Amino acid sequence: MDNNEEIPSTPATPGTPGAPLFGGFNATNRSNNGNKNSLLKSCRCFTAADWSIEDGALPPVSCSLPPPPPVPLARKVGAEFIGTFILMFAATAAAIVNQKTNGSETLIGCAATTGLAVMIVILATGHISGAHLNPAVTLSFAALKHFPWKHVPMYIGAQVLASICAAFALKGVYHPFMSGGVTVPSGGYGQSFALEFIIAFNLMFVVTAVATDTRAVGELAGIAVGATVMLNILIAGPVSGGSMNPVRTLGPAIAANNYKAIWVYLIAPVLGALAGAGTYTAVKLPEEDDDAKAKASISFRR
């Protein structure tokens, strides 16, 4: 063999030093006019221009999904009305059926019904309206600057109207058993006030965690909040009815014309929710710094 004969070179294996990270990109990809035909240029997540692929060097590239399009306020309010209607209808109906059947549904059944309704509505409408379903939740989010104050009246208006509509629908279906759906104290007013404050605190503490803290498992928000509602009703149901929501009491009270101690259910849940939201904000971990966020971002490196 002639020593001057050129020995064909073996292409380097992708991934080895000096070789391209992605196989199939080499100097033969140049067109006759000298421009590079890189498939990477067609990828939207690659934003750097004029990369040198032949030498195997790729700069750091980050990919991120575009933010979802904004939801019109009318759709948010509409979803809030429908979600609150479903919740109020289910929660109140469970109590009415329990009265109509002489307690066959039991406290556990009423608590499970309400918890399931909350979970279902959050999973169905949470991505549209946030699924507040409760004026105390809306006010707490607004107080912590997680929700604009200018939208608070429309959200609360939708919640109140949904509660009244659900209550009168139940009155027409289950009359004359509507009184069973009204939450009234079975003990002292002070005891009921304290319980409503505590269970609203529990609820809003959990809601604030799963809705505002990115380190919480937000995908399980519906399950977490629904389980908290069920737990609260099991705790406070025999004494205060386990309302934790002003519109849970207001709508049935109007339909049944029973306003006994209604101030307890309008004030205690709001104060408890504000306290729960503020407490979680005070104890949650500090936000990650920029370096930690940069390390957590999705990137492709050589």
Side-chain angles (χ1 to χ4, degrees):
M1 179 181 296
D2 187 2
N3 292 334
N4 296 327
E5 182 179 354
E6 183 179 358
I7 300 175
S9 60
T10 302
T13 303
T16 58
L21 180 61
F22 302 102
F25 296 99
N26 50 42
T28 61
N29 287 333
R30 292 179 179 270
S31 61
N32 294 332
N33 58 6
N35 295 328
K36 300 175 185 178
N37 288 330
S38 172
L39 294 178
L40 295 177
K41 290 184 178 180
S42 63
C43 298
R44 295 182 179 179
C45 62
F46 294 94
T47 58
D50 296 329
W51 293 344
S52 178
I53 299 177
E54 287 74 14
D55 60 3
L58 291 177
V61 182
S62 296
C63 287
S64 60
L65 294 175
V71 180
L73 180 60
R75 292 189 180 184
K76 292 182 179 181
V77 174
E80 190 70 11
F81 174 87
I82 295 171
T84 306
F85 181 92
I86 294 172
L87 173 59
M88 293 301 108
F89 191 94
T92 309
I96 293 174
V97 170
N98 191 52
Q99 179 199 26
K100 185 177 181 179
T101 57
N102 298 318
S104 64
E105 191 147 340
T106 72
L107 176 63
I108 295 177
C110 293
T113 301
T114 307
L116 285 172
V118 170
M119 180 186 70
I120 291 168
V121 171
I122 290 176
L123 294 176
T125 66
H127 62 289
I128 302 174
S129 66
H132 295 184
L133 315 176
N134 186 336
V137 173
T138 301
L139 290 171
S140 298
F141 278 151
L144 294 177
K145 299 181 180 179
H146 295 301
F147 188 75
W149 278 106
K150 63 182 180 180
H151 295 167
V152 169
M154 286 172 282
Y155 263 56
I156 293 181
Q159 293 158 0
V160 171
L161 182 60
S163 176
I164 295 173
C165 290
F168 277 96
L170 289 167
K171 184 177 182 179
V173 173
Y174 290 111
H175 184 76
F177 293 94
M178 184 62 203
S179 61
V182 181
T183 51
V184 293
S186 59
Y189 289 1
Q191 185 182 24
S192 296
F193 188 97
L195 277 173
E196 287 296 322
F197 179 93
I198 292 171
I199 62 177
F201 178 97
N202 296 342
L203 175 63
M204 198 62 206
F205 187 89
V206 174
V207 169
T208 306
V210 298
T212 67
D213 196 334
T214 57
R215 286 154 298 192
V217 185
E219 291 79 5
L220 301 179
I223 299 175
V225 177
T228 305
V229 169
M230 181 177 178
L231 175 65
N232 285 339
I233 294 176
L234 291 175
I235 293 172
V239 178
S240 68
S243 175
M244 76 196 87
N245 186 342
V247 298
R248 168 62 183 89
T249 299
L250 182 61
I254 294 173
N257 196 27
N258 183 355
Y259 302 97
K260 180 181 179 182
I262 193 171
W263 61 272
V264 171
Y265 303 97
L266 297 181
I267 298 175
V270 174
L271 296 179
L274 289 171
T279 300
Y280 184 83
T281 302
V283 302
K284 74 175 182 178
L285 297 174
E287 295 293 336
E288 297 176 345
D289 56 22
D290 294 337
D291 293 339
K293 290 181 180 180
K295 292 178 181 179
S297 62
I298 303 175
S299 63
F300 299 94
R301 297 179 181 271
R302 180 178 179 273

